[in-house]
Amino acid sequence: MTWFRKKEQRIESVPADERVVKTEGIFVKCTECDAALYRRELEESLQVCPHCNYHFRIGARERLAMLYDDGQYEELDADVISSDPLEFTDTKPYPQRLEQARRSTGLPEAIITARGRVGGHLTFIGAMDFSFLGGSMGSAVGEKITRIIERALETRGAVITVSASGGARMQEGALSLMQMAKISAALARLDEAQLPFISILTDPTTGGVTASFAMLGDVILAEPKALIGFAGPRVIEQTIREKLPKDFQRAEFLVEHGMLDVVVDRREMRALVIKLLTFMVNPALQTPAPQFNASNNGRDPNGPTPDVPATESKIQSPKSEVKN
Amino acid sequence: MSDDANVRDRDEPLPAFERVKLARHTDRPYALDFIQRLFSDFTELRGDRRFADDPALICGFATFQGELVAVIAHQKGRDTKQRRHRNFGMPKPEGYRKALRIMQLAEKFQRPVFTFIDTPGAYPGIDAEERGQAEAIARNLMEMAKLEVPIIVTVIGEGGSGGALAIGIGDWVLMLENAIYSVISPEGCAAILWKDAAQAAQAAQALRLTANDLKRLGMVDQIVPEPSAGAHTDADEAARLLKESLSEGLAAVVKWSPHERKSRRYEKLRALGG
């Protein structure tokens, strides 16, 4: 005989697989300090951990929205995408890898280029996205960057690149390598035209991207702790057969060695860029001297040249619309 | 190259990788072997005026068929001691900065520039990183685009990625028949994409790194024939054949005006991967 009898129904047990706290997507764990971060709060702090200042990697579109006035910009050359010039196949055919990358990222390529205003200054920005095949630079990336430089030359705008890349894209062989030369040659023209180029380095920036435009900025900025180098740490470790110190090739290391100008918190990036542009965009250089106009029947010698393809499209690829 | 090259039987010898082996052959003439045979005198100039002199990249003034020119070249070593001295032909930032210094001297005195490429790549080491390996390469790419003097580039052996390209921007690009030029070594590519460095032969094929491939893709203007068994069998003959091509190339580009050279150089690069 039992002394006590349960009158009420016991609480219905929940099957183990359903026993979850519904916070998924609301909290994010910081990679660096393990703090649980409220997602909305993290978004407001531009994906920087409010506790330890860890800078999460962010995508190209977020980057553009963060830099442009009111987050407004016009995407350029979304139709420039990589073909398969070498018919490259490793364990998978290259076109298949490209298609996969497009599907998983919603991006047409490893870079988004755009036109807009930064602090009121006409500015062309190319923002790379590491999630698209490691931000690797193939022909399409090279072409898109070259085109924004040429557009800046035509319209006397400023150029900003935001790098996030493992380097040149192997699947396009030496053609990827030549993009380094192509972009650098375009930057030589920009330099001679006394137009500003700001290079922003984010985690990670290595290989052929570092060894070309990323290191050619009139001013070079970097996000805290970003890995920046020519050879990747693993390659160096294999060469010298020893472990590398933890801070080696980090942004702070580079600034110490005189390789870049400022390590800047993402939340202060836009303000700093505007300050720099204000110095670098000199209105005295803005318009070509009048005598050139007169000798040229009033036509602006720096005006658009007909042989430059004006293929910018306001139409974004359908995939990218799904993503955003 | 056949289109089914990538799906070939693994045991069948892959021609691209045979070229890789020839390009790296230890008896292959290196830059100094060619310089000795191509130029009537060579005065080496050293140092980047910032940090050091880099023996992996040699520079100087020389005379080519009666004309005064500047010479820039990667130099590998033949025996162990030399190899170490030349760092296996892998330059550090001071090498690239010295090269730029000499090229800018050539510009100042209006003398043509000859560059000779033969490197596994720019040196991937701590000191090179500290002194800005990436910046040194990048700077050369930009500044070479600004030069107006004739620049004749020849890939004589290994064209190893950015470390090769950093002296590779020119008006006329030559490549020896068995030379290679690639964005990454076949071994490195195989390790990353196949997760197996032993697949280097496959990778070599896929990367399209031979002179024929690069000519077809528009990155090389002219292929320089080698003695039938390869340059390593007869350095004198290899140099004689190269001299002919260099002479033709120079004759062509000196006819262009300085401005024309600069804009052609741009347009040529502009057409790659458009």
Side-chain angles (χ1 to χ4, degrees):
Chain A
M1 185 188 148
T2 46
W3 288 17
F4 301 104
R5 201 163 287 166
K6 195 177 249 173
K7 284 184 183 158
E8 286 170 31
Q9 274 288 333
R10 62 171 84 160
I11 297 167
E12 221 170 286
S13 70
V14 181
D17 55 337
E18 279 178 30
R19 216 180 290 158
V20 285
V21 188
K22 305 275 193 214
T23 56
E24 202 189 334
I26 298 177
F27 287 96
V28 182
K29 197 165 147 187
C30 174
T31 321
E32 189 76 9
C33 71
D34 285 350
L37 309 172
Y38 187 38
R39 186 182 284 276
R40 176 105 53 84
E41 199 185 3
L42 188 59
E43 274 162 18
E44 274 162 19
S45 67
L46 302 175
Q47 304 286 336
V48 177
C49 173
H51 302 285
C52 73
N53 245 11
Y54 175 75
H55 283 53
F56 285 81
R57 285 178 185 170
I58 63 169
R61 292 190 205 280
E62 288 166 282
R63 186 67 69 174
L64 293 172
M66 195 189 100
L67 288 169
Y68 277 119
D69 296 351
D70 308 316
Q72 296 294 307
Y73 60 90
E74 179 193 349
E75 184 172 337
L76 304 169
D77 301 315
D79 55 339
V80 175
I81 54 169
S82 273
S83 57
D84 182 17
L86 307 188
E87 295 169 355
F88 194 100
T89 299
D90 47 88
T91 52
K92 248 183 238 165
Y94 175 44
Q96 206 176 311
R97 283 188 191 269
L98 279 172
E99 187 47 44
Q100 241 169 19
R102 280 185 207 119
R103 224 173 318 139
S104 69
T105 61
L107 299 166
E109 251 298 334
I111 193 167
I112 303 287
T113 52
R115 169 176 36 214
R117 302 255 160 203
V118 178
H121 302 289
L122 172 64
T123 307
F124 296 86
I125 306 181
M128 303 189 81
D129 199 307
F130 192 72
S131 62
F132 192 104
L133 294 178
S136 58
M137 173 168 67
S139 299
V141 170
E143 181 65 21
K144 287 176 86 167
I145 299 176
T146 307
R147 285 194 190 180
I148 56 168
I149 298 166
E150 288 179 340
R151 284 206 181 84
L153 278 161
E154 288 161 30
T155 55
R156 292 203 69 81
V159 176
I160 299 175
T161 57
V162 185
S163 302
S165 172
R169 191 175 293 170
M170 283 177 284
Q171 290 90 342
E172 292 183 40
L175 277 171
S176 298
L177 189 63
M178 293 303 153
Q179 302 311 309
M180 295 164 62
K182 182 165 103 179
I183 300 167
S184 302
L187 285 174
R189 292 190 163 188
L190 196 75
D191 188 38
E192 288 175 331
Q194 295 170 284
L195 291 167
F197 170 41
I198 298 174
S199 171
I200 300 173
L201 314 178
T202 72
D203 188 63
T205 299
T206 59
V209 166
T210 323
S212 60
F213 63 92
M215 275 295 163
L216 291 173
D218 295 313
V219 174
I220 306 177
L221 310 177
E223 288 193 338
K225 303 233 170 83
L227 177 80
I228 303 156
F230 171 65
R234 246 177 311 161
V235 175
I236 300 172
E237 282 176 348
Q238 280 165 15
T239 311
I240 61 168
R241 296 199 177 88
E242 54 185 280
K243 209 97 185 100
L244 292 168
K246 198 172 175 270
D247 64 340
F248 182 66
Q249 290 186 314
R250 296 288 161 185
E252 295 74 12
F253 173 92
L254 270 90
V255 84
E256 283 290 308
H257 285 82
M259 292 303 151
L260 55 88
D261 294 283
V262 193
V263 177
V264 54
D265 189 295
R266 188 178 291 158
R267 292 161 290 189
E268 286 145 31
M269 186 67 82
R270 186 176 129 82
L272 178 58
V273 166
I274 292 172
K275 214 184 215 178
L276 293 169
L277 284 178
T278 308
F279 177 90
M280 295 159 90
V281 178
N282 185 348
L285 302 168
Q286 283 291 326
T287 39
Q291 64 265 30
F292 289 123
N293 280 335
S295 67
N296 211 3
N297 294 332
R299 271 184 299 146
D300 181 357
N302 290 313
T305 43
D307 58 340
V308 177
T311 46
E312 67 214 50
S313 64
K314 291 184 188 179
I315 309 146
Q316 301 198 345
S317 68
K319 282 178 208 108
S320 62
E321 281 177 355
V322 172
K323 172 93 176 184
N324 288 284
Chain B
M1 289 296 133
S2 62
D3 287 331
D4 61 344
N6 291 318
V7 291
R8 243 176 232 264
D9 185 352
R10 222 198 264 177
D11 297 329
E12 201 183 316
L14 294 164
F17 201 59
E18 292 308 310
R19 304 268 191 196
V20 174
K21 287 180 189 162
L22 284 175
R24 294 171 177 168
H25 200 289
T26 47
D27 290 336
R28 195 173 170 82
Y30 294 149
L32 279 172
D33 301 309
F34 279 120
I35 288 170
Q36 223 176 11
R37 292 165 172 85
L38 293 168
F39 303 101
S40 57
D41 60 65
F42 173 64
T43 309
E44 188 175 357
L45 301 170
R46 299 176 57 180
D48 68 345
R49 301 293 187 271
R50 282 164 172 78
F51 179 76
D53 180 52
D54 187 350
L57 215 159
I58 51 173
C59 302
F61 295 156
T63 309
F64 180 75
Q65 298 181 324
E67 185 155 6
L68 291 156
V69 302
V71 176
I72 314 283
H74 296 112
Q75 177 64 30
K76 290 179 176 175
R78 210 167 291 283
D79 56 34
T80 311
K81 199 178 152 201
Q82 275 186 29
R83 273 190 205 121
R84 196 176 304 150
H85 173 60
R86 302 286 181 190
N87 198 25
F88 301 86
M90 294 187 285
K92 295 182 179 179
E94 46 272 27
Y96 295 113
R97 290 178 182 138
K98 170 172 65 175
L100 182 59
R101 193 191 125 226
I102 303 305
M103 289 189 277
Q104 286 173 337
L105 279 183
E107 178 82 357
K108 180 176 175 183
F109 301 111
Q110 296 290 295
R111 305 293 188 195
V113 177
F114 286 97
T115 75
F116 299 95
I117 292 173
D118 189 14
T119 179
Y123 183 64
I126 291 183
D127 53 343
E129 293 288 326
E130 280 175 341
R131 294 196 292 278
Q133 185 71 289
E135 193 275 343
I137 294 170
R139 185 69 48 198
N140 281 18
L141 299 181
M142 182 162 97
E143 295 303 325
M144 285 182 91
K146 292 179 184 173
L147 299 179
E148 293 188 338
V149 288
I151 307 174
I152 314 280
V153 176
T154 310
V155 187
I156 55 172
E158 272 186 282
S161 196
L165 187 66
I167 61 165
I169 313 298
D171 304 298
W172 196 251
V173 181
L174 301 165
M175 191 160 165
L176 263 59
E177 202 181 334
N178 294 317
I180 57 164
Y181 202 170
S182 180
V183 66
I184 186 169
S185 72
E187 291 81 2
C189 178
I192 298 169
L193 292 181
W194 277 264
K195 318 260 181 262
D196 176 10
Q199 300 298 311
Q202 291 279 120
Q205 189 67 35
L207 282 166
R208 314 281 177 201
L209 42 65
T210 68
N212 282 324
D213 293 330
L214 284 140
K215 174 87 168 44
R216 188 170 48 80
L217 291 163
M219 285 176 268
V220 162
D221 296 300
Q222 195 186 332
I223 299 173
V224 184
E226 289 184 25
S228 54
H232 62 285
T233 59
D234 190 345
D236 291 334
E237 179 62 6
R240 194 190 63 76
L241 291 164
L242 175 56
K243 195 169 192 170
E244 270 176 31
S245 301
L246 287 176
S247 179
E248 283 167 33
L250 184 64
V253 302
V254 292
K255 285 199 197 109
W256 304 338
S257 73
H259 179 75
E260 203 179 348
R261 274 193 291 270
K262 206 168 146 182
S263 62
R264 274 175 185 251
R265 218 177 286 154
Y266 186 79
E267 293 309 325
K268 224 166 82 179
L269 288 172
R270 194 64 194 82
L272 294 174

